[in-house]
């Protein structure tokens, strides 16, 4: 059973000091090596980035987003999806050149003895290409021209808000650099 190794939160501020973005990260050791997730607020919605250390038997990093049964997922183009709901839509883009995403059937269990069919978005990326996987949940538009970006090197994971600030985290602790 995994243990929580770190939990962090904070804000990152634009250079002009007019806007701050909230973020939270956590790291656990449930897969035999540290695995982290950061959720970062963007102007359009949320950026979710997962990263992992070296896991000997793993060939892919996999991230799952489970959706309530009231939502209907549609694949609009490779690695781009729309989650439709009677009150509005969410436009979803998986990031990373090697990432492949698909909709999978799943089960939502809100209580004992209750099981409802739902959908899950599953993103996979080969660990040989990169050791992170990320998805942008855009609450405003399907336009991907202002999508955020993710990169990792030298023990840091960088989440770049389109036309905004970058958040650099230590991969081992999830704490903010700078």
């Amino acid at each position: 059973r995994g243990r929580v190794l770190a939990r962090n939160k904070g804000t990152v501020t634009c250079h002009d000091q007019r806007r701050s973005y909230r973020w939270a990260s956590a790291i656990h050791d449930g897969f035999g090596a540290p695995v982290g997730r950061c959720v970062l607020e963007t102007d359009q919605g949320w950026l979710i980035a997962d990263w992992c250390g070296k896991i000997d038997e793993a060939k892919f990093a996999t991230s799952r987003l489970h959706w309530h049964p009231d939502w209907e997922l549609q694949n609009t183009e490779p690695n781009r999806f729309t989650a439709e709901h009677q009150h509005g839509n969410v436009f979803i883009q998986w990031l990373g050149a090697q990432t492949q995403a698909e909709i999978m059937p799943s089960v939502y269990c809100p209580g004992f003895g209750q099981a409802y069919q739902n959908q899950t978005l599953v993103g996979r990326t080969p660990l040989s290409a990169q050791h992170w996987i990320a998805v942008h949940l855009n609450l405003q538009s399907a336009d991907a021209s202002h999508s955020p970006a993710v990169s990792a090197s030298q023990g840091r994971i960088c989440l770049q808000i389109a036309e905004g600030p970058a958040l650099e985290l230590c991969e081992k602790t999830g704490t903010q650099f700078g």
Side-chain angles (χ1 to χ4, degrees):
R1 184 173 183 114
R3 297 172 315 193
V4 174
L5 301 176
R7 287 183 294 226
N8 300 283
K9 64 181 180 177
T11 59
V12 60
T13 305
C14 283
H15 302 295
D16 61 9
Q17 306 290 319
R18 299 177 80 197
R19 176 81 168 99
S20 293
Y21 299 88
R22 296 172 294 168
W23 63 272
S25 70
I27 298 174
H28 68 81
D29 63 359
F31 297 111
V35 175
R37 172 171 279 183
C38 182
V39 178
L40 172 64
E41 171 188 29
T42 72
D43 285 327
Q44 296 86 25
W46 300 95
L47 173 62
I48 302 168
D50 297 337
W51 66 92
C52 61
K54 182 164 175 45
I55 301 173
D56 292 334
E57 60 276 354
K59 299 204 180 331
F60 291 90
T62 303
S63 184
R64 293 175 178 83
L65 295 176
H66 296 267
W67 292 81
H68 187 275
D70 290 347
W71 291 82
E72 180 70 30
L73 299 175
Q74 300 292 327
N75 189 316
T76 56
E77 56 186 271
N79 292 339
R80 295 187 55 165
F81 300 83
T82 300
E84 298 174 349
H85 189 272
Q86 65 182 1
H87 298 296
N89 295 337
V90 176
F91 306 98
I92 303 152
Q93 179 183 10
W94 289 87
L95 307 175
Q98 300 294 320
T99 300
Q100 298 292 315
E102 63 182 326
I103 300 168
M104 300 288 295
S106 188
V107 178
Y108 170 68
C109 301
F112 292 108
Q114 298 175 331
Y116 301 97
Q117 293 295 313
N118 73 331
Q119 294 176 302
T120 299
L121 274 176
V122 180
R124 291 171 37 110
T125 195
L127 288 173
S128 60
Q130 61 193 38
H131 62 280
W132 60 266
I133 188 167
V135 62
H136 185 224
L137 305 177
N138 191 325
L139 305 177
Q140 297 177 3
S141 164
D143 178 21
S145 62
H146 298 292
S147 292
V150 177
S151 61
S153 68
Q154 300 177 342
R156 295 180 182 214
I157 186 151
C158 180
L159 289 71
Q160 175 69 50
I161 297 173
E163 301 176 5
L167 171 63
E168 281 193 309
L169 300 176
C170 174
E171 290 180 358
K172 290 184 180 180
T173 63
T175 54
Q176 184 175 7
F177 281 103

